[in-house]
Amino acid sequence: TRPISSAFFGPQEGAALVNALQRFLVEQTEKGIPAIVHEEALSGLQMKGATLFPQAIGQGSMWDPELVEKMGGAIRRQMRAVGVRQVLSPNVDVARDARWGRVEECYGEDPYLTARLGVAFVQGLQGDDEKYLKVVATPKHYAVHSGPEADRHHFDAAVSRRDLHETYLPAFKACVQEGKAGSIMSAYNRTNGEACCASNMLLHDVLRSQWGFDGFVVSDCGAVQDMHQHHKITRSAAESAALAVKNGCDLNCGCIYAEL
């Protein structure tokens, strides 16, 4: 029930751990449903012995989508070798303030560059098979997440419609429509009053209706519980879970969906 970082394991240990977990879930649980094992990979698989690439802000400085796609392919092969099938990357937030605590995770301040590198990374991770994804890429954090880091669990990003669609959404749109990303991660913060992991505007009107996204949405880890603990827009864990599900958050990174 608690996350275990693969950073503590080598590739062989990691693969053995994932195999044991899947065997238990398939053979010894009532439904026999295997787990979706995910990992971070902004600069490579977070595991001992895996290849470490430059931070994303350094990748942005290369201006080289082709190289970023090759990097994504290398990360994908290492992910598959240890049983990981969902990658919580790339970060396609736009860095608008150098004081933001996660500038190093994204490609910089330009929406166009961010879109081009985001699409390249998604395509490198997922591969080019018409039917099967090699791994599921998960662009994040949807959306308008590059605000004050210390306040991210209760911050409301008030943004104009023009700034939303010209600055913050283009990279996500490109990753969905061009890169065919299989998943999207919603952010901790609110955007124009709605919690991002339960935003009808972001998840339904824009993502699915306008862009035609047919993958799954996962919350950032612990974001659903933020709705009652920090945003104060719901009164309980059950209300937060229900609001997220009704508005299009398919998968909760956390434990709140047990309240359903």
Side-chain angles (χ1 to χ4, degrees):
T1 59
R2 298 179 62 188
I4 301 175
S5 173
S6 64
F8 296 107
F9 303 99
Q12 291 182 332
E13 298 167 301
L17 179 67
V18 171
N19 285 336
L21 170 66
Q22 301 291 29
R23 191 177 304 114
F24 170 80
L25 292 173
V26 171
E27 297 177 358
Q28 300 186 44
T29 62
E30 181 181 358
K31 300 297 183 182
I33 301 173
I36 299 175
V37 181
H38 70 230
E39 254 297 356
E40 302 279 359
L42 293 171
S43 55
L45 172 61
Q46 302 299 297
M47 177 174 284
K48 289 194 302 183
T51 304
L52 183 64
F53 295 94
Q55 274 280 22
I57 195 67
Q59 298 169 30
S61 301
M62 297 188 303
W63 298 77
D64 194 338
E66 183 178 350
L67 189 55
V68 169
E69 183 173 352
K70 290 180 180 178
M71 180 192 73
I75 293 171
R76 169 236 302 167
R77 289 187 288 275
Q78 294 184 5
M79 289 280 186
R80 287 183 62 85
V82 296
V84 175
R85 291 297 183 267
Q86 183 186 7
V87 183
L88 305 183
S89 304
N91 182 343
V92 291
D93 296 324
V94 176
R96 302 201 69 178
D97 189 332
R99 297 169 298 179
W100 179 41
R102 301 178 81 167
V103 168
E104 80 281 356
E105 287 190 13
C106 60
Y107 298 123
E109 63 184 355
D110 184 73
Y112 180 78
L113 175 66
T114 298
R116 300 280 42 91
L117 298 185
V119 168
F121 198 16
V122 167
Q123 291 175 333
L125 290 172
Q126 297 192 157
D128 55 6
D129 191 284
E130 293 184 0
K131 187 175 182 180
Y132 297 104
L133 299 179
K134 299 298 180 64
V135 298
V136 177
T138 308
K140 59 185 183 182
H141 309 83
Y142 185 68
V144 200
H145 183 60
S146 49
E149 181 68 9
D151 299 331
R152 67 184 184 179
H153 294 281
H154 59 86
F155 176 66
D156 184 14
V159 60
S160 70
R161 181 176 178 83
R162 176 175 179 175
D163 206 16
L164 178 67
H165 286 273
E166 289 188 356
T167 303
Y168 293 103
L169 296 187
F172 287 101
K173 182 179 181 180
C175 285
V176 167
Q177 294 189 330
E178 296 179 50
K180 308 298 182 184
S183 178
I184 291 288
M185 175 178 277
S186 56
Y188 285 115
N189 54 280
R190 281 170 286 154
T191 294
N192 292 341
E194 289 187 311
C196 292
C197 58
S199 170
N200 187 65
M201 180 271 290
L202 287 174
L203 302 182
H204 180 267
D205 294 348
V206 175
L207 183 62
R208 296 196 184 278
S209 295
Q210 295 180 23
W211 297 350
F213 178 69
D214 62 357
F216 65 93
V217 174
V218 58
S219 73
D220 206 338
C221 296
V224 175
Q225 71 187 43
D226 283 345
M227 290 197 288
H228 59 275
Q229 289 188 345
H230 303 296
H231 293 303
K232 306 297 183 182
I233 60 175
T234 55
R235 295 170 295 180
S236 67
E239 284 189 16
S240 296
L243 185 64
V245 167
K246 288 178 179 178
N247 284 318
C249 185
D250 305 295
L251 184 64
N252 170 41
C253 182
C255 303
I256 301 301
Y257 275 14
E259 299 293 328
L260 295 171

